[in-house]
Amino acid sequence: MFNSFIYGDKLTEFLLEGHNPDARLKLSAADVDAFRQHMQTGEALRAYVTGRFVMSGPGVWVVTEQHVLIRDAAKKSVISLDSHLIESFVAVRGRYGHTVRLIAQGRQYSMYGVDAELALGFHQALLSLGANSTFEDKPPRSHLWQAYSESLCRAEDCLTDARQRLNCVS
């Protein structure tokens, strides 16, 4: 009950408008620190997506030219996958934004509530690495949330900020 008072606007936007207000944000300091520990020196960030894991909470996926890093913020864990072991990536329009699914080494990883522009960048980054990747480009169910979203930055600005903070070359 108290969550509705604390997170009321975000919950309304997420559940009624079908948009995750936290999907297109700059990476948090905790995310940057966690990814920095799993990236090699000089490894360049290509793209990232933020969303929510089912039954867990917020998460972030990062793709570099060598790895896909999956961070579950609730569990404070990072999974590192070699990019050449990615079997498939799918981004489909769902009820709460895009849902992304990644299959690597026989395991499936998924997140929902992902921003469409960041998901498209992630898809393009995986395609350039030779991975089997598809992106469903359907328009959002509603654009009403855009009129009230003050914290929304451009996807390219978020990516540029992440590259700078991770000390990566673009």
Side-chain angles (χ1 to χ4, degrees):
M1 181 169 107
F2 293 113
N3 278 346
S4 62
F5 292 120
I6 297 170
Y7 304 110
D9 290 341
K10 286 186 177 187
L11 287 174
T12 300
E13 191 172 332
F14 196 66
L15 298 174
L16 298 180
E17 294 298 322
H19 170 72
N20 180 1
D22 295 330
R24 193 189 307 171
L25 294 177
K26 295 178 179 178
L27 293 179
S28 71
D31 292 331
V32 170
D33 290 342
F35 290 131
R36 192 176 288 135
Q37 293 175 13
H38 289 82
M39 292 175 69
Q40 297 173 2
T41 304
E43 191 172 8
L45 175 76
R46 290 180 165 242
Y48 76 91
V49 291
T50 60
R52 299 197 59 83
F53 290 110
V54 175
M55 304 291 288
S56 184
V60 182
W61 294 3
V62 166
V63 64
T64 69
E65 60 260 332
Q66 298 165 355
H67 297 97
V68 172
L69 303 171
I70 299 173
R71 180 167 193 268
D72 186 335
K75 294 178 183 175
K76 296 181 181 173
S77 65
V78 176
I79 297 169
S80 179
L81 305 166
D82 287 335
S83 60
H84 69 276
L85 297 176
I86 304 302
E87 296 168 31
S88 69
F89 173 80
V90 177
V92 294
R93 175 80 185 130
R95 181 175 176 153
Y96 305 114
H98 270 71
T99 297
V100 292
R101 292 183 186 89
L102 180 82
I103 298 176
Q105 298 175 320
R107 293 201 57 201
Q108 178 174 308
Y109 305 90
S110 61
M111 260 191 328
Y112 68 98
V114 173
D115 178 71
E117 287 183 50
L118 290 175
L120 177 60
F122 203 88
H123 156 72
Q124 291 169 339
L126 287 175
L127 275 179
S128 70
L129 294 173
N132 179 19
S133 181
T134 58
F135 178 81
E136 183 180 76
D137 191 16
K138 282 186 181 175
R141 294 175 187 217
S142 170
H143 290 283
L144 184 61
W145 58 268
Q146 289 176 332
Y148 302 103
S149 187
E150 298 168 2
S151 64
L152 194 64
C153 60
R154 292 179 348 152
E156 191 58 40
D157 293 339
C158 292
L159 187 57
T160 301
D161 177 73
R163 283 181 177 144
Q164 290 173 349
R165 292 173 60 210
L166 284 168
N167 294 326
C168 296
V169 211
S170 56

